[in-house]
Amino acid sequence: AWVAERFNVARPTAKARLDRLCAEGLLRRGPRRSSVVPQLSADDIADIYFSRQPVETLAVRTLAASRNAPPDAQRALNLMRLAAEQSAHGDHTEADVAFHRALVAATASQRLQRMHDSVMGEAQLCIAQVRRNASTDLTELTARHAAILEAIADGEPDAAEAALLVDLDGCRDMLLADAAALRGS
């Protein structure tokens, strides 16, 4: 009822959107309970990055095989550079997510994009929950993304995959360490 009133929509519309957010993992609901934003655990973080890896690996290998460096990924990388210069963590996170979405979108596979979209909402929630207190080196993180795009442009699928794995594994490990530090504080 609150969501329907707050956003001036019908109650069935509000319920449908809440159900969809629950299905996407952005909200959780228990029996006879309101929907709440979940606090992601270490297992959740590890699983989110585990789930991203095969989809994004296929995307970068496919793009590199055809030397297709997507312009939208380059724009997102430019925004990451700007955000890094300004130490704007929130803007960097948005550009980071846009970068990865652009890579998958450039494959032109609607199914691959739907699979990726289903986990990226949780990935963005995870990053936002953990990174708000983290001391992330945004310049180094941006350089990792540049390496992915360079390998794609150079037509090197193995190098593109390796650069992607450095990024995903590094982000996962950073988020796990930051989450542990937050739980310890």
Side-chain angles (χ1 to χ4, degrees):
W2 179 88
V3 172
E5 184 176 318
R6 169 75 167 86
F7 294 100
N8 196 28
V9 296
R11 286 180 67 155
T13 301
K15 183 183 179 326
R17 290 307 298 168
L18 290 171
D19 289 345
R20 182 166 179 183
L21 291 171
C22 286
E24 292 175 7
L26 299 176
L27 292 176
R28 292 197 182 145
R29 181 185 307 149
R32 298 184 192 102
R33 297 190 59 211
S34 297
S35 299
V36 296
V37 176
Q39 289 298 313
L40 298 173
S41 68
D43 288 342
D44 291 325
I45 294 168
D47 192 43
I48 288 166
Y49 279 82
F50 172 77
S51 300
R52 287 178 63 182
Q53 185 176 330
V55 173
E56 292 188 37
T57 296
L58 180 58
V60 299
R61 291 190 70 79
T62 299
L63 296 174
S66 61
R67 295 178 183 249
N68 177 12
D72 286 346
Q74 183 61 56
R75 279 190 283 282
L77 182 61
N78 293 341
L79 291 172
M80 290 174 74
R81 287 184 176 123
L82 181 61
E85 290 170 8
Q86 298 172 350
S87 294
H89 286 260
D91 292 344
H92 196 277
T93 296
E94 285 185 37
D96 185 332
V97 170
F99 177 89
H100 289 276
R101 287 184 188 268
L103 294 177
V104 176
T107 66
S109 169
Q110 293 176 359
R111 287 167 185 82
L112 193 64
Q113 194 168 350
R114 280 196 308 266
M115 288 189 296
H116 191 248
D117 286 345
S118 73
V119 75
M120 285 308 289
E122 280 187 290
Q124 193 164 3
L125 174 64
C126 169
I127 294 166
Q129 282 183 352
V130 177
R131 218 189 253 177
R132 66 178 170 223
N133 296 321
S135 57
T136 307
D137 182 345
L138 298 180
T139 302
E140 191 269 331
L141 187 55
T142 302
R144 292 195 319 223
H145 288 76
I148 297 167
L149 210 51
E150 288 169 18
I152 290 170
D154 291 344
E156 298 178 8
D158 292 339
E161 179 179 351
L164 174 73
L165 294 179
V166 166
D167 176 48
L168 292 180
D169 292 347
C171 286
R172 179 204 59 217
D173 294 347
M174 175 191 62
L175 291 168
L176 287 170
D178 290 341
L182 285 173
R183 282 190 303 277
S185 57

